[in-house]
Amino acid sequence: MSEPAIRIKDLTKDFRIGVRGVKLRAVDNLSLDIYDNQIFGLLGPNGCGKSTTMKIVLGLLEPTRGECSIYGVGSHSVKSRVNVGFLPEAPYFYKFLSGRELVRYYARICGVAKSEINDRTEEVLKLVSMENAAHRRVGTYSKGMLQRIGIAQALVHDPKLVVLDEPTAGVDPIGSHAIAELIVALKERGKTVMLCSHLLAQVEGVCDRVAIMSRGKLVLEGGVDELLEKEDERSLIVGDYNPEAQKEIEAVLEKYGAQLRKVEAPRISLDRLFLQHTDGSAIGSGQDVSDKEGKQ
Amino acid sequence: MPLDRDSWFFRTGRKAVINFTALFLVGLAASPLQKRSWGEVRTFQPELNLQDVESALGQGIVIGLLGGFRTLLADFVYLRANYYWEKYDRPNTEALLGLTSSIDPRPMYFWLNGARMIAYDIPVWRIREKGAWEDVPEFYRKEIYREQVDRAMKMLDRAEKFHPDDMRLPLEKARIYYDKVNDYEKAAENYKRAIDLPNAPYYAHRIYANALDKAGHPREAYNFLKNRWFTMDHTNRGAMPEVVLERIRELEARLDTPFIERLPPQPGETEEQFNLSPFGESTISRQGEVNFNIAPATPDPAPAHDHDHDHGHDHNHDH
Amino acid sequence: MSAPGRIGLIARNTFLEAVRQKFFNVLVVLSIAMIASANFFRQFDFGSSELKFIADFGMGAIFLFGSILSVVVTAQLFFSEIENRTALTMLAKPVYRWEFIVGKFLGVFIVLFAFVTLMLALLAAVLYWRESGLMNIHPEDFEDGRLVNYLGIVELAFSELLKFGVLAAITMLIASFSNTNLYTVVLSFFVMVICQLQYIARDNWSDLDNPLLRGLVWFLSLLFPNFQMFNVGEQLIFPTHDATLSTGGYLGIIAYGSIYICMLLGLSAYSFRNREI
């Protein structure tokens, strides 16, 4: 098998705090491989070390022990970041730039050829449905728009690996739904996605594999399906429910040595209810009056 | 205690040592360069006499002075002195003028105008304080002028320490002695010093002769002017050759110089003005002067000439 | 993309930030103040010395506001990256940390260049206007032609720029290891005062008797750059026979400033290399 997208080996990170340099262990002997074309979720509560791990992978922090590499290139090397797009947590970008200027700026920094910059910029702006707000200063964007312009800048140089830190934190359900769809679309384009989140429910439907961290340690890792499914249980959803029929079904189940454990009315999630009752096509683009007026 | 390589002290100390060492080494490496340039720049900035300014200004401003705001502060103090000058406030004006030149002794402007205010303007205020001009006895007026001129001279003496080769300082002294206390001996002495320095103006030569004459050395004045006549640039209007010639003739007449020793007739002088026969008469004479000639004087063709008409033409301190 | 290309981009972006954050409004205020002060001096009859007063106050204003701008803009533009976490995004790209530091510095340097050139151009214009006026009123002061050396103002622009550049580089070094904007600004001004005054130690260490103290003063005098070296405005604008800066002296000043800028930036990059962002 080829090099994994991200390889983390025996990673430990201590922070020195105070005058005497008291140690605070943020990451404790973590080993993890993330393979190509996966959506990998690094999950856990606040302060469990996921962001620290991510920063070390990106070369923003130096590990105390252990090593990280991206496609076989050590994280300490600037070259390892050529194929990486990164969306930081709660991103703030240069407020004095417009969305388009911002994406173009990062495209040039990442070395996108001059002839391609325009096309690439428009493509990613379209991908995150920000083309109508791209002329506005970043300072005027809502949180969801910031998140999406952040994804645009992370994708503009067409990286193989995309790292997203809390991509849905603070974003409304419509926004997070759109982001989730975007992440799945990225996988379809052959990208590898690593995302960090503490909003477990939101990433559940997106991730192929997850790792759960607690107090700096890896406590669980595996495919989402294999971790969540109970092998010997199934739920049946019945239309035109009839209590008489239920009794007969129970009898049949008993005959095969199985039991009916629970009967309940299925509920849809509040998120889904919200999405059904809101205009999905307007997701996150906000009320941009000047946009509409400008287009007249 | 073992050295904890992770302690704040160790990390910060290491950083500090690396930075300081690097900066020190650069300082050392750049020191020939800095010696060359700073050596030159420093000559533009005379040593600051801290004792002079510290008591007047206080610590904070002294740091500003040392820190490169010297010129600006001198300007401020000078403007302040001008403010008091407008208010006829003698102690403050004099104190601030002195302070200005202590802070920045480089600009000649501060010295010259300071001395002028002290010698020309302040006596007038002091006399006015005593009453109307006519009511103040003359000896008292003279005494005030003498005092103020002494102060101005002290200031200009200090100035000469910083600008030993600048003719404007002895020139200013001479002018003050001449005009304000009529001390022609000292005036002549200073005019002489001024004209011996480079770039002295033409009029300084003429007035030097006047001062010598008034101090009771007319012969020296005559000899000086005669020499001057042969060495001066006659084509330059500023040299005013006609005035020099006029003075020469006047002195010749007054000293009754034998014709053979006199300056020969010059272009522009009419023949009839001169009678070169040994017993002839000179037509150059002046009213009120002893006339050695026997023949009655012909009417004086030249108007009475103010001997120092161009004197003090640049008293530009008057507001 | 090559390193100079990335540095250029970061510098351009930094400059753009300064422009769009309206740092340049201070220029408008200063320009008005400069013209007003030139008018103020007309009420005194200083003769040709009026030009000296205008130049002194103009250069004083440039020094004062230039120093403030060098320190505050550098600290502000650096910490806005750290505090807004834009540095995080930037450094997660294939960008070396030294490129980031140098790019930021160059951005500030362009701001300072704009400040110095605009202010000195305005000063030159004001001096020219007043000088032309004074030549009519006091022709005797101008017998040898104009008093102001306008070419010297051009030279002064570069030496002033280098001085502010050294100050900005000092600020960058302090910012590279300090945690807050305020601390950086305060410490930078403190260091600036030392650099302004260090010539006293430099000129006097050899007079001290105590060998220990002598060594210490000598060490300190070499630790900080000598800002008084750049104090040549008067000699450049009004050269006289006994106070004219030689070409060698001028080039020495330029070289001195350049060496210090490079060195300080190197140290900033070194100190920023391991910084946790």
Side-chain angles (χ1 to χ4, degrees):
Chain A
M1 189 153 189
S2 65
E3 282 285 346
I6 296 176
R7 164 159 285 168
I8 300 170
K9 205 158 175 281
D10 304 328
L11 182 72
T12 300
K13 175 70 186 173
D14 295 331
F15 286 106
R16 312 279 155 189
I17 292 176
V19 172
R20 296 226 35 214
V22 177
K23 286 180 190 174
L24 187 87
R25 183 149 291 186
V27 180
D28 193 356
N29 207 21
L30 179 76
S31 292
L32 204 63
D33 282 348
I34 297 173
Y35 288 98
D36 222 7
N37 203 14
Q38 274 187 350
I39 301 177
F40 190 94
L42 190 58
L43 311 178
N46 287 328
C48 70
K50 8 178 239 304
S51 281
T52 306
T53 307
M54 192 172 271
K55 281 182 179 176
I56 294 170
V57 168
L58 292 167
L60 295 168
L61 287 181
E62 295 224 342
T64 309
R65 267 197 309 282
E67 51 198 59
C68 292
S69 60
I70 298 176
Y71 293 109
V73 185
S75 283
H76 52 83
S77 161
V78 167
K79 291 199 174 68
S80 71
R81 272 162 263 158
V82 172
N83 274 317
V84 184
F86 173 53
L87 169 75
E89 184 185 354
Y92 285 92
F93 297 109
Y94 302 105
K95 291 185 187 128
F96 55 92
L97 294 178
S98 72
R100 183 170 281 110
E101 283 174 324
L102 184 87
V103 176
R104 284 179 62 89
Y105 174 56
Y106 284 121
R108 294 185 65 188
I109 285 282
C110 292
V112 176
K114 253 198 167 129
S115 54
E116 293 172 26
I117 285 178
N118 279 335
D119 293 347
R120 283 298 307 160
T121 306
E122 295 313 315
E123 192 186 330
V124 289
L125 285 172
K126 203 162 176 211
L127 187 70
V128 298
S129 347
M130 283 292 285
E131 66 268 42
N132 289 335
H135 65 279
R136 275 167 45 186
R137 291 260 173 105
V138 172
T140 66
Y141 284 179
S142 70
K143 218 162 190 179
M145 293 165 97
L146 273 179
Q147 209 79 12
R148 280 189 291 145
I149 205 76
I151 294 174
Q153 64 80 26
L155 297 177
V156 70
H157 56 300
D158 200 21
K160 286 201 280 187
L161 170 69
V162 183
V163 179
L164 309 170
D165 196 356
E166 303 285 4
T168 56
V171 180
D172 62 40
I174 306 172
S176 17
H177 180 73
I179 289 170
E181 281 183 352
L182 196 63
I183 292 170
V184 174
L186 287 177
K187 186 193 169 184
E188 280 160 15
R189 289 169 169 232
K191 315 275 180 220
T192 310
V193 179
M194 173 186 177
L195 60 92
C196 271
S197 186
H198 64 276
L199 300 170
L200 305 183
Q202 287 183 353
V203 298
E204 182 189 320
V206 177
C207 293
D208 300 326
R209 280 178 82 79
V210 293
I212 296 176
M213 287 180 74
S214 174
R215 296 187 182 189
K217 286 197 166 110
L218 184 68
V219 290
L220 204 62
E221 196 222 331
V224 173
D225 294 341
E226 63 188 82
L227 287 176
L228 297 185
E229 275 174 17
K230 294 180 179 169
E231 285 290 328
D232 58 343
E233 288 190 3
R234 291 290 182 273
S235 57
L236 309 170
I237 296 182
V238 179
D240 297 330
Y241 173 74
N242 185 329
E244 295 299 315
Q246 186 188 339
K247 281 184 186 140
E248 281 185 35
I249 288 168
E250 276 180 66
V252 174
L253 288 172
E254 218 161 309
K255 198 168 117 190
Y256 287 95
Q259 313 90 40
L260 182 68
R261 292 218 170 121
K262 199 174 183 185
V263 177
E264 60 183 1
R267 296 167 66 160
I268 59 165
S269 73
L270 208 51
D271 275 2
R272 192 144 292 280
L273 183 73
F274 183 76
L275 286 174
Q276 280 169 3
H277 288 82
T278 47
D279 180 5
S281 67
I283 289 172
S285 61
Q287 287 295 313
D288 192 337
V289 178
S290 68
D291 268 3
K292 287 168 189 162
E293 283 169 352
K295 298 274 183 231
Q296 305 284 301
Chain B
M1 197 179 101
L3 188 62
D4 180 0
R5 293 176 65 88
D6 289 322
S7 73
W8 181 84
F9 287 111
F10 183 81
R11 285 174 296 146
T12 310
R14 187 179 53 184
K15 216 180 258 180
V17 166
I18 289 170
N19 276 306
F20 282 172
T21 312
L23 284 171
F24 176 74
L25 289 177
V26 172
L28 210 59
S31 75
L33 191 65
Q34 99 100 30
K35 257 190 200 126
R36 160 75 179 83
S37 289
W38 173 235
E40 189 178 337
V41 173
R42 192 171 39 184
T43 57
F44 305 145
Q45 299 163 6
E47 197 109 355
L48 191 63
N49 190 347
L50 279 180
Q51 273 139 10
D52 279 4
V53 293
E54 202 152 20
S55 53
L57 288 175
Q59 212 75 49
I61 295 185
V62 168
I63 288 179
L65 272 183
L66 294 169
F69 287 103
R70 191 168 174 181
T71 3
L72 203 56
L73 271 167
D75 288 359
F76 266 117
V77 175
Y78 185 77
L79 288 176
R80 199 80 195 137
N82 265 271
Y83 166 81
Y84 287 115
W85 181 85
E86 282 172 0
K87 302 239 173 304
Y88 306 115
D89 180 339
R90 179 189 150 218
N92 276 320
T93 306
E94 276 193 41
L96 290 180
L97 287 173
L99 185 59
T100 308
S101 45
S102 293
I103 293 175
D104 192 355
R106 286 167 295 175
M108 186 51 72
Y109 181 77
F110 291 153
W111 296 111
L112 295 182
N113 281 287
R116 283 173 197 166
M117 286 185 200
I118 292 170
Y120 290 74
D121 305 332
I122 292 180
V124 180
W125 308 348
R126 287 182 64 184
I127 292 166
R128 213 179 282 150
E129 278 166 25
K130 306 284 174 202
W133 185 269
E134 303 76 32
D135 298 346
V136 181
E138 202 195 339
F139 76 90
Y140 200 76
R141 291 205 304 253
K142 280 195 167 159
E143 190 48 41
I144 287 176
Y145 267 106
R146 168 59 62 189
E147 258 180 53
Q148 287 305 123
V149 166
D150 281 349
R151 284 167 188 274
M153 290 304 149
K154 273 196 192 117
M155 182 160 208
L156 292 170
D157 284 343
R158 279 209 296 140
E160 285 190 55
K161 282 191 198 126
F162 293 100
H163 306 277
D165 298 328
D166 200 310
M167 60 82 198
R168 284 175 287 181
L169 292 168
L171 193 63
E172 191 62 37
K173 281 179 165 180
R175 189 185 281 172
I176 292 172
Y177 277 128
Y178 196 113
D179 286 351
K180 292 297 147 185
V181 285
N182 306 336
D183 186 338
Y184 301 114
E185 199 72 58
K186 285 228 173 82
E189 189 185 299
N190 281 295
Y191 274 124
K192 178 80 179 89
R193 286 179 50 223
I195 59 181
D196 287 344
L197 288 168
N199 303 321
Y202 293 109
Y203 70 84
H205 294 85
R206 294 195 301 276
I207 299 167
Y208 169 54
N210 288 353
L212 277 176
D213 184 17
K214 288 199 170 201
H217 312 290
R219 187 152 297 281
E220 282 156 38
Y222 173 68
N223 289 338
F224 173 78
L225 282 178
K226 213 163 116 187
N227 268 332
R228 174 87 185 132
W229 178 260
F230 291 117
T231 53
M232 71 194 282
D233 175 10
H234 291 260
T235 56
N236 192 312
R237 293 293 308 144
M240 294 197 180
E242 71 286 353
V243 178
V244 175
L245 186 59
E246 194 182 330
R247 293 288 297 138
I248 290 172
R249 296 299 177 216
E250 187 193 318
L251 283 162
E252 281 171 345
R254 187 141 47 86
L255 293 168
D256 197 19
T257 314
F259 285 108
I260 198 75
E261 289 172 22
R262 291 190 184 190
L263 189 69
Q266 297 298 313
E269 287 184 310
T270 52
E271 197 59 42
E272 63 195 43
Q273 280 178 281
F274 293 90
N275 185 345
L276 292 179
S277 65
F279 305 104
E281 316 145 357
S282 168
T283 54
I284 300 170
S285 63
R286 280 188 170 245
Q287 293 163 333
E289 284 175 2
V290 183
N291 199 328
F292 298 95
N293 299 319
I294 302 144
T298 47
D300 191 354
H305 200 93
D306 182 4
H307 66 273
D308 58 358
H309 73 288
D310 55 355
H311 188 246
H313 71 293
D314 62 350
H315 287 190
N316 57 5
H317 69 286
D318 303 85
H319 291 239
Chain C
M1 168 156 271
S2 61
R6 283 190 294 266
I7 292 170
L9 271 174
I10 297 170
R12 218 189 68 171
N13 193 51
T14 308
F15 178 67
L16 195 65
E17 174 166 11
V19 171
R20 293 196 181 166
Q21 305 273 24
K22 307 196 170 61
F23 277 124
F24 279 98
N25 285 6
V26 69
L27 277 182
V28 179
V29 178
L30 269 182
S31 310
I32 294 167
M34 195 182 273
I35 293 166
S37 80
N39 257 319
F40 169 76
F41 294 123
R42 292 178 74 177
Q43 64 174 290
F44 305 94
D45 185 13
F46 285 151
S48 59
S49 290
E50 188 182 319
L51 297 173
K52 169 194 148 48
F53 279 82
I54 294 171
D56 285 355
F57 276 75
M59 287 191 295
I62 291 171
F63 175 52
L64 189 68
F65 289 93
S67 308
I68 294 174
L69 216 59
S70 310
V71 170
V72 172
V73 170
T74 309
Q76 172 62 33
L77 292 179
F78 181 85
F79 281 98
S80 80
E81 292 264 1
I82 302 290
E83 283 160 14
N84 292 338
R85 289 194 246 178
T86 44
L88 202 69
T89 318
M90 177 58 69
L91 294 171
K93 310 264 179 234
V95 172
Y96 289 91
R97 293 204 171 188
W98 68 266
E99 293 172 351
F100 180 76
I101 289 283
V102 174
K104 281 271 127 189
F105 172 80
L106 280 183
V108 176
F109 201 64
I110 302 170
V111 174
L112 294 173
F113 178 77
F115 169 80
V116 169
T117 20
L118 286 174
M119 293 305 289
L120 279 177
L122 187 71
L123 179 64
V126 169
L127 282 172
Y128 189 84
W129 162 57
R130 285 309 301 146
E131 189 173 34
S132 305
L134 288 167
M135 283 170 97
N136 292 326
I137 306 167
H138 304 286
E140 71 281 357
D141 287 350
F142 297 90
E143 272 163 5
D144 302 329
R146 287 185 176 272
L147 293 174
V148 178
N149 176 19
Y150 292 94
L151 201 66
I153 298 183
V154 177
E155 289 180 274
L156 182 63
F158 289 101
S159 64
E160 289 287 286
L161 183 61
L162 265 283
K163 175 172 74 179
F164 293 139
V166 174
L167 185 54
I170 289 172
T171 312
M172 188 62 88
L173 174 59
I174 294 170
S176 70
F177 59 76
S178 83
N179 288 324
T180 67
N181 195 341
L182 187 67
Y183 175 78
T184 305
V185 169
V186 171
L187 192 61
S188 300
F189 276 118
F190 184 67
V191 171
M192 186 192 87
V193 171
I194 294 176
C195 292
Q196 284 284 341
L197 297 178
Q198 66 94 274
Y199 76 99
I200 300 170
R202 200 178 278 255
D203 292 349
N204 297 315
W205 64 269
S206 53
D207 299 342
L208 293 165
D209 292 331
N210 183 338
L212 203 68
L213 195 65
R214 195 171 146 161
L216 185 73
V217 171
W218 176 72
F219 175 74
L220 287 177
S221 76
L222 286 175
L223 204 53
F224 297 96
N226 179 2
F227 272 16
Q228 291 291 333
M229 288 252 290
F230 300 95
N231 195 359
V232 290
E234 235 179 292
Q235 287 73 40
L236 287 173
I237 299 185
F238 301 111
T240 58
H241 67 280
D242 53 8
T244 306
L245 187 63
S246 69
T247 313
Y250 176 74
L251 292 178
I253 292 171
I254 298 290
Y256 185 76
S258 311
I259 289 172
Y260 263 98
I261 289 177
C262 294
M263 181 63 204
L264 288 162
L265 285 184
L267 285 176
S268 311
Y270 170 78
S271 152
F272 189 62
R273 198 183 51 142
N274 296 321
R275 184 180 174 129
E276 292 173 350
I277 297 167

